[in-house]
C-alpha cells in the first residue's frame, strides 16, 4: 500500500460543520515534536492511527497519527463518553438512545454521529456516510467503509486495551470519532463478558 503520496487537500470539517479554522493549524513546536500538519486534510496516503492508554488500566487515551500526538480522550468511568481534545478545541463525546447512538460535538453543534441499526453502525460526517462493518471471523475488529470502498480497519491494540488502524482518505476528526466508537464498543464487550463471568 502506498504511503506519503499526498493528494489535493480538502478541509476536514469545513462547510456544513463549522470548525475548520480551529483544526487547520500545525502541531506546536517546543516540546521536541516535529512540526507537521495536524492531519486534518483528506489524503490518499495511509495513516497509522493509534489509541494508547496514558497509564495502565487508566481511562485516558492519547491518539497518535503516524506517531505524532494529535488528540486525547478522557473517558468517563461509568458510562460511554468523555472529553476529546483535538487541535485547539475540546469536544464532548457521548452515548445516547440507550447506547445505540454516539455523538461528538462542541458548542452545541454535533460534528459527527454514529447510529446502530441491527448489527450495522452508520457513521455520518460532513462529507457523507460511512459504515463500521465487522469482518467475518474477526471479533472486535471493525472496518471503516464508504460505499464499496474499505478505507481501513480498526484492530485491538494488544494487552493495553488500545486500538490501531491504517486509514486512507478520511479526515482526522472522523478517524478519531470512528476510533472512539470502536473503543467504546470494545469496552462494552469486556464489561459484558466480565459481568457474565462473575454472575455465572
Amino acid at each position: 500500500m502506498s504511503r506519503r503520496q499526498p493528494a489535493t487537500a480538502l478541509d476536514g470539517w469545513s462547510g456544513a460543520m463549522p470548525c475548520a479554522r480551529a483544526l487547520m493549524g500545525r502541531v506546536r513546536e517546543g516540546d521536541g515534536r516535529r512540526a507537521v500538519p495536524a492531519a486534518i486534510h483528506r489524503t490518499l496516503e495511509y495513516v497509522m492511527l493509534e489509541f494508547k492508554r496514558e497509564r495502565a488500566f487508566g481511562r485516558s487515551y492519547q491518539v497518535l497519527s503516524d506517531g505524532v500526538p494529535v488528540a486525547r480522550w478522557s473517558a468517563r468511568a461509568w458510562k460511554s463518553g468523555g472529553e476529546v481534545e483535538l487541535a485547539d478545541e475540546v469536544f464532548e463525546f457521548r452515548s445516547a438512545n440507550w447506547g445505540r447512538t454516539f455523538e461528538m460535538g462542541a458548542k452545541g453543534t454535533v460534528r459527527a454521529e454514529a447510529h446502530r441499526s441491527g448489527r450495522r453502525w452508520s457513521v455520518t460526517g460532513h462529507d457523507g456516510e460511512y459504515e463500521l462493518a465487522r469482518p467475518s471471523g474477526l471479533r472486535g475488529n471493525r472496518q471503516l467503509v464508504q460505499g464499496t470502498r474499505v478505507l481501513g480497519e480498526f484492530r485491538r491494540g494488544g494487552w493495553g486495551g488500545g486500538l490501531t488502524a491504517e486509514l486512507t482518505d478520511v479526515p482526522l476528526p472522523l478517524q478519531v470519532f470512528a476510533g472512539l466508537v470502536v473503543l467504546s464498543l470494545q469496552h462494552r464487550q469486556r464489561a459484558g463478558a466480565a459481568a457474565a463471568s462473575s454472575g455465572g
Side-chain angles (χ1 to χ4, degrees):
M1 53 181 69
S2 62
R3 297 177 66 89
R4 296 300 173 204
Q5 297 297 323
T8 303
L10 298 177
D11 293 348
W13 279 1
S14 60
M17 295 188 177
C19 73
R21 290 189 182 278
L23 298 175
M24 291 284 289
R26 289 178 172 266
V27 176
R28 290 190 179 90
E29 295 181 279
D31 59 358
R33 291 181 290 173
R34 58 193 173 95
V36 297
I40 301 305
H41 305 304
R42 277 180 174 273
T43 66
L44 293 180
E45 65 188 11
Y46 278 84
V47 174
M48 174 62 74
L49 195 71
E50 300 172 89
F51 291 74
K52 293 184 175 181
R53 288 187 191 270
E54 293 185 334
R55 297 185 304 277
F57 307 109
R59 296 191 300 271
S60 295
Y61 289 80
Q62 189 176 59
V63 185
L64 301 97
S65 178
D66 280 346
V68 178
V70 293
R72 182 177 183 270
W73 178 36
S74 301
R76 295 196 185 103
W78 303 112
K79 57 183 179 179
S80 298
E83 288 189 344
V84 182
E85 301 170 39
L86 176 61
D88 293 324
E89 281 197 88
V90 177
F91 298 89
E92 180 72 14
F93 176 71
R94 57 184 176 267
S95 176
N97 192 24
W98 300 98
R100 299 177 68 87
T101 300
F102 289 97
E103 297 177 343
M104 191 165 78
K107 300 177 181 177
T109 302
V110 174
R111 309 289 179 82
E113 55 189 343
H115 299 282
R116 179 182 175 182
S117 177
R119 296 176 60 86
R120 178 177 178 270
W121 280 93
S122 61
V123 179
T124 304
H126 88 279
D127 59 338
E129 295 280 341
Y130 299 80
E131 180 180 351
L132 282 170
R134 180 179 292 171
S136 59
L138 294 174
R139 187 178 182 183
N141 289 15
R142 300 271 178 168
Q143 290 179 337
L144 186 62
V145 180
Q146 188 174 45
T148 59
R149 298 177 61 209
V150 177
L151 304 178
E153 184 172 308
F154 291 95
R155 301 175 296 275
R156 293 182 185 275
W159 180 85
L163 194 70
T164 63
E166 276 198 281
L167 300 166
T168 186
D169 204 20
V170 185
L172 177 66
L174 207 293
Q175 294 180 32
V176 172
F177 175 70
L180 294 181
V181 172
V182 175
L183 263 181
S184 298
L185 295 177
Q186 289 182 357
H187 288 176
R188 286 183 189 175
Q189 187 179 61
R190 285 195 295 269
S197 176
S198 62

